[in-house]
Amino acid sequence: MTPPVEAAVDRAFREEWGQVVATLIRWTGDWDLAEECAQDAFAQALRTWRRDGVPRRPGAWLTTAARNRAVDLLRREATGAAKLREVAGVLRMEDDAGDAPDVPDDRLRLIFTCCHPALALEARVALTLRTLAGLGTTEIARAFLVGEQAMAKRLARAKQKIRHAGIPYRVPPAHLLPERLPAVLAVLYLLFNEGYSATAGADLVRHDLSAEAIRLARVLVRLMPDEPEAAGLLALMLLHHARRAARLDEAGDLVVLEDQDRGRWDADVINEGVALLDGTLRRGRPGPYQVQAAIAACHATAARPEDTDWAQIAVLYARLARLVPSPVVELNRAVAVGMAHGPAAGLALVDALRETGALAGYHLLPAARADLLRRLGRTAEAAVAYREAAGLAATDAERRYLARRLAALG
């Protein structure tokens, strides 16, 4: 069992990292310094909290410790005094900026800073996940299906560009918000997904990240009430998040959608998500997040697994594939086709996708193939596919689930 102080520091890291780093970036303007001082503050917390106990407000304690560390480091440098004066000037300029929307949340400011159009789209998303969520380079690389070294270089280049281009740390004026919206939405959705289904580690679910993504999405919808995709994303998150209590069993093992106790789903959250989706679809400007929310609504509103409208889901995935062509979307469409029109039809699509090599190393491809083979009675081939998927899965819970499916084949 994790000792109480270590558990408290771990919980504070999950809940407070983004706020501490965002505050330090606003205060110093130096991304690397902010991350370094935040890391030092958490290390100091381990030592101090063992002696003095866990403070009543861990986030405020960590922010103060990180800021004091930053002051110490800046004062030791030859240019430290000038840097501190520069920081004070930047803060005054921010206070005087009357053309930008009033968004008091440092984390949302951080997202918009990371999503400046001078940065490549993938760099914007990756940098925000690293800085805001505290995700490691390995986790972010897996989310993008790229190598760890390549992602490390991408993050370093993004920070350098922000520094050299003098990109301001603020929410842009209202007329510039739409050009940054796609990247901001992508950041929030990846942040939610990392909480909903972690890319690595012992924990499959990190509710703190999902809840933070939903909170920020609510702020964004208030900031941009006429953007249907912002509301569509919030609806999508809510419809997925409503099932959180039923996704794991008491041992922390994965419970797939068809086996979940639907009585444990949060009906109020589902109703909120469906109402939000209905309202935004009436605007007649459907986009990828609204289509995904419609798919999630098909699942969330089915009283029993057999009531799920798989034919409609397959049609929606085909629509999504036209909007955002992606091998992952095609894989999901293949699964829906297999449920709507029989496993043979789904397997043909999965095998065609497999031949392209586009999802090599992605464990859900052999996992989906294994399930379709199992339903066709081709158990020997299904066993091979389940073993392949288990070898590629990055979380303990997913590996245990695949092992159970393999064992059930006999």
Side-chain angles (χ1 to χ4, degrees):
M1 181 178 294
T2 305
V5 170
E6 281 77 353
V9 172
D10 183 61
R11 183 171 59 253
F13 181 88
R14 294 195 306 270
E15 296 175 356
E16 305 291 351
W17 170 267
Q19 181 63 57
V20 174
V21 172
T23 300
L24 264 288
I25 290 175
R26 174 171 58 85
W27 193 72
T28 67
D30 189 321
W31 293 62
D32 291 328
L33 178 65
E35 287 192 28
E36 178 186 345
C37 292
Q39 289 167 353
D40 288 346
F42 280 96
Q44 182 182 343
L46 272 175
R47 299 188 300 270
T48 306
W49 295 2
R50 285 195 188 104
R51 184 191 66 214
D52 301 338
V54 178
R56 186 172 59 86
R57 297 172 58 205
W61 189 100
L62 289 161
T63 300
T64 300
R67 181 176 293 191
N68 290 341
R69 178 62 175 160
V71 170
D72 290 342
L73 291 176
L74 288 172
R75 282 174 176 164
R76 291 176 192 174
E77 297 177 0
T79 58
K83 179 66 176 177
L84 287 171
R85 287 194 297 272
E86 177 188 335
V87 166
V90 168
L91 293 179
R92 284 195 299 272
M93 288 172 61
E94 283 186 353
D95 291 338
D96 294 339
D99 58 343
D102 180 21
V103 181
D105 194 301
D106 278 330
R107 285 162 290 193
L108 198 62
R109 289 194 189 102
L110 177 60
I111 290 176
F112 275 101
T113 302
C114 292
C115 292
H116 194 280
L119 301 175
L121 179 59
E122 287 190 346
R124 302 176 206 174
V125 177
L127 183 60
T128 309
L129 291 176
R130 173 74 188 100
T131 311
L132 182 73
L135 300 188
T137 305
T138 301
E139 295 171 296
I140 301 171
R142 283 201 181 99
F144 280 92
L145 304 180
V146 301
E148 186 175 348
Q149 284 191 329
M151 181 53 66
K153 291 178 181 177
R154 186 179 298 173
L155 290 166
R157 286 195 298 268
K159 288 180 182 179
Q160 289 172 0
K161 189 151 192 175
I162 286 177
R163 183 166 56 250
H164 294 156
I167 293 174
Y169 180 83
R170 65 183 178 94
V171 174
H175 70 280
L176 294 179
L177 288 176
E179 71 180 10
R180 300 201 199 175
L181 182 62
V184 172
L185 295 178
V187 164
L188 291 178
Y189 193 36
L190 277 174
L191 180 62
F192 176 84
N193 279 335
E194 182 58 34
Y196 187 76
S197 184
T199 54
D203 297 327
L204 179 67
V205 175
R206 292 181 60 186
H207 291 313
D208 55 301
L209 287 183
S210 295
E212 176 65 6
I214 289 172
R215 191 190 68 77
L216 290 171
R218 291 189 189 280
V219 175
L220 187 63
V221 168
R222 290 197 297 271
L223 183 66
M224 306 180 73
D226 297 324
E227 287 292 344
E229 278 290 81
L233 175 61
L234 177 56
L236 172 61
M237 292 178 179
L238 291 171
L239 290 166
H240 283 315
H241 199 56
R243 296 193 289 108
R244 63 193 180 279
R247 293 187 63 235
L248 300 178
D249 63 18
E250 293 181 356
D253 285 333
L254 177 67
V255 180
V256 294
L257 181 61
E258 63 188 81
D259 295 332
Q260 289 176 14
D261 178 0
R262 299 183 180 220
R264 299 184 65 195
W265 292 1
D266 192 325
D268 290 339
V269 175
I270 290 173
N271 291 337
E272 181 187 1
V274 169
L276 189 61
L277 175 63
D278 288 344
T280 196
L281 286 176
R282 281 197 290 270
R283 299 180 184 182
R285 293 159 54 197
Y289 293 109
Q290 295 169 74
V291 174
Q292 291 176 80
I295 293 169
C298 287
H299 289 297
T301 56
R304 302 173 301 167
E306 55 267 32
D307 296 334
T308 306
D309 190 346
W310 284 106
Q312 176 66 17
I313 292 172
V315 169
L316 288 168
Y317 270 121
R319 176 72 178 273
L320 183 62
R322 291 194 295 272
L323 290 171
V324 282
S326 157
V328 174
V329 173
E330 291 294 347
L331 177 60
N332 287 326
R333 183 173 77 89
V335 171
V337 168
M339 296 298 294
H341 306 298
L347 183 62
L349 294 175
V350 170
D351 282 343
L353 186 59
R354 186 184 181 210
E355 288 296 319
T356 69
L359 290 177
Y362 186 56
H363 78 283
L364 292 181
L365 177 63
R369 187 168 183 271
D371 189 62
L372 292 164
L373 289 166
R374 175 188 61 81
R375 291 169 56 200
L376 286 168
R378 295 160 59 177
T379 55
E381 295 170 88
V384 172
Y386 276 129
R387 291 190 188 98
E388 180 186 355
L392 295 171
T395 67
D396 297 340
E398 287 172 317
R399 284 189 287 269
R400 290 194 298 269
Y401 166 75
L402 292 165
R404 293 197 304 273
R405 297 309 293 256
L406 177 60
L409 292 177

